[in-house]
Amino acid sequence: MRLVFIGPPGAGKGTQAEKIVARYQLAHLSTGDMLRAARAAGTELGRKADQYMSAGQLVPDDLIIALIRQRLEQPDCRGGYLLDGFPRTIAQAEALDLMLAEKGTPLDVVLELQVDDEAIKQRLAGRGRADDKPEVIAQRLVAYHQQTAPLLDYYGRAGLLRSIDGMGTIDEVFARVRSVLDPLAG
Ligand code: AMP
């Protein structure tokens, strides 16, 4: 199964992503995790990405697309993967479509986790990551609504979008995830 997981920052996407990759045995491709690793390792990519990440802004598309292109070549992606935090812009989605069309491996589903902004602000305020300061959170939400939310239309038109309610306990939300993904799992 090849799936894209979309949701605002703080929607509980990371937690659900862990459960999804375990249940369906998928590689977990989180661009946020890759960028944080690059930053911690002090690579050129990490240094370039840091200025955007710490301001709550999206890292430029060309850097992210190159990162994902390389990652998709790794052998563990052959058995299916979950894209977590990518694509975040229409340009990234179009680049992904092209890459996957070249490989003959289209996406199976795009899963959206829906959580309203107020719930997100409360959740993120309790999390304590460096980019979780209130002003950075607000900026990340702006980036989500302006740049990432248009993907919902994009994938809706492609007939790939399935949206679920992200409110409730981890298990309640995961039951909704399973009701969408179990029928698609081979
Ligand atoms: P995340 O952990 O997915 O919330 O990502 C943390 C930060 O990394 C984001 O606020 C962005 O600055 C950057 N980032 C992660 N994924 C992407 C992406 N696909 N496009 C642009 N920036 C990204």
Side-chain angles (χ1 to χ4, degrees):
M1 182 164 40
R2 289 176 293 275
L3 97 99
V4 165
F5 199 21
I6 297 185
K13 199 156 49 72
T15 308
Q16 295 295 326
E18 293 296 342
K19 294 175 72 74
I20 292 169
V21 298
R23 180 174 177 88
Y24 303 101
Q25 298 185 355
L26 306 174
H28 185 181
L29 277 50
S30 160
T31 42
D33 285 351
M34 293 180 215
L35 293 171
R36 281 184 287 277
R39 191 169 59 178
T43 65
E44 192 189 343
L45 170 67
R47 279 197 303 276
K48 283 185 187 160
D50 179 52
Q51 49 185 314
Y52 299 96
M53 295 169 77
S54 42
Q57 292 168 355
L58 295 186
V59 173
D61 287 331
D62 56 339
L63 296 179
I64 296 287
I65 291 165
L67 185 66
I68 277 289
R69 185 185 297 280
Q70 273 185 348
R71 184 64 185 86
L72 287 174
E73 293 301 324
Q74 302 300 310
D76 64 327
C77 291
R78 285 187 207 133
Y81 48 81
L82 176 147
L83 287 165
D84 173 4
F86 175 91
R88 282 257 231 305
T89 64
I90 295 284
Q92 291 179 16
E94 288 173 346
L96 177 65
D97 276 352
L98 265 178
M99 274 182 238
L100 298 186
E102 278 166 16
K103 290 173 179 286
T105 56
L107 292 172
D108 296 301
V109 63
V110 174
L111 190 63
E112 181 206 1
L113 200 57
Q114 293 179 324
V115 176
D116 67 58
D117 282 7
E118 272 319 302
I120 286 164
K121 284 179 187 156
Q122 281 170 16
R123 284 190 195 182
L124 284 176
R127 200 161 78 172
R129 222 166 67 185
D131 54 352
D132 286 346
K133 284 180 281 189
E135 61 276 19
V136 180
I137 293 172
Q139 179 51 46
R140 289 168 68 208
L141 281 171
V142 167
Y144 181 77
H145 289 298
Q146 289 185 347
Q147 293 169 279
T148 306
L151 294 180
L152 302 174
D153 265 353
Y154 179 90
Y155 286 124
R157 279 197 298 275
L160 287 172
L161 184 67
R162 305 290 301 274
S163 299
I164 60 164
D165 180 3
M167 296 300 290
T169 65
I170 290 172
D171 288 343
E172 284 164 353
V173 176
F174 193 58
R176 293 177 204 132
V177 169
R178 282 202 320 262
S179 71
V180 172
L181 298 186
D182 276 359
L184 300 174

